[in-house]
Amino acid sequence: MESPFPSRAEQDPPEQATHVCLLACSPHPNGSTDAAARLLEQTLSSRGAAVDRISLRDYTIHPCIGCGYCSSHPGRCAFDGDGAAGLFRRMERADSLILSIPVYFYGPPAQLKGFIDRAQLFWERQRTPTPRRPAHAVLCAARTRGDRLFEANLLILRCFLDTLGFSLHEPLLLRGVERPDDLLHPHLIAQIERFGLEAAEQATRFYHE
């Protein structure tokens, strides 16, 4: 589906492409979270980044059951036959990671939480690569109020990304976004584009370090 948003990022692209993994985490196709991801993809591509866009709902991921298999079999999971291992490999190849996430009951949607729990495999290794790669998150909430609306997501994300060797940068927190049309406001489009440009610049800096 083509994005309804025009790209307004007109800067010249960098000389060498960076590899950005863009993970769209909504179980609902073509909703507001997907719309934000499409606009981010346009912005990143305009800066010359190679974008690996993933829709998490397209993958079957068995939730962690705390069986201890990854503790007794380092680097392996009892459910390695599902989609989680392939997703982790794609994230590992990236210079930078961006997650576009809807807020469900003040937390992440079920499939994303299930995928996050599978990172126990990496926590068991007790090895974190350095330097840490930049990670970014766009959180879309239908609610307009709530001082702690994004708190649970951010705590979970920081733990998850730290385990994978990423460092979470300042997130973009969007309130009152329930439908794709809710993003069709110039100030929100500009916000998302600026966020994407900053993410592209940070990925480029990491790539050249």
Side-chain angles (χ1 to χ4, degrees):
M1 178 178 176
E2 291 297 322
S3 169
F5 305 110
S7 176
R8 300 189 300 134
E10 297 176 350
Q11 290 88 341
D12 293 331
E15 292 180 3
Q16 292 180 293
T18 57
H19 182 188
V20 179
C21 182
L22 175 57
L23 187 61
C25 302
S26 176
H28 174 58
N30 300 318
S32 58
T33 306
D34 276 13
R38 288 194 297 271
L39 182 55
L40 284 167
E41 182 178 18
Q42 286 184 349
T43 304
L44 290 162
S45 297
S46 78
R47 293 293 292 145
V51 182
D52 180 16
R53 181 177 161 199
I54 302 168
S55 293
L56 189 62
R57 62 179 172 273
D58 292 341
Y59 293 81
T60 300
I61 298 171
H62 196 292
C64 176
I65 59 171
C67 65
Y69 187 91
C70 60
S71 180
S72 58
H73 300 77
R76 297 175 59 192
C77 175
F79 304 111
D80 273 342
D82 70 358
L87 288 174
F88 283 129
R89 283 194 296 270
R90 289 169 74 173
M91 292 166 68
E92 178 62 28
R93 291 194 293 265
D95 299 309
S96 179
L97 173 67
I98 302 179
L99 300 98
S100 183
I101 304 171
V103 177
Y104 284 10
F105 280 94
Y106 277 58
Q111 189 181 24
L112 175 58
K113 185 57 169 66
F115 178 53
I116 287 171
D117 290 345
R118 290 287 295 277
Q120 179 72 12
L121 167 74
F122 300 95
W123 186 88
E124 286 288 348
R125 292 180 182 179
Q126 296 291 324
R127 291 188 293 108
T128 303
T130 54
R132 292 179 180 276
R133 291 166 290 164
H136 310 268
V138 178
L139 301 181
C140 300
R143 286 179 60 89
T144 58
R145 295 179 296 174
D147 292 340
R148 307 177 73 179
L149 180 57
F150 302 103
E151 185 175 293
N153 267 297
L154 293 176
L155 284 171
I156 292 168
L157 279 177
R158 286 192 178 97
C159 293
F160 171 58
L161 295 169
D162 181 73
T163 299
L164 298 179
F166 288 95
S167 177
L168 181 63
H169 289 242
E170 189 68 26
L172 178 59
L173 309 177
L174 302 177
R175 295 173 181 261
V177 177
E178 188 169 9
R179 297 172 297 275
D181 286 353
D182 294 331
L183 291 174
L184 290 175
H185 299 284
H187 73 283
L188 286 179
I189 294 173
Q191 247 187 310
I192 296 170
E193 286 186 331
R194 282 196 304 271
F195 186 80
L197 289 173
E198 289 171 6
E201 290 167 5
Q202 288 167 2
T204 299
R205 284 197 296 271
F206 180 85
Y207 178 86
H208 290 291
E209 285 178 356

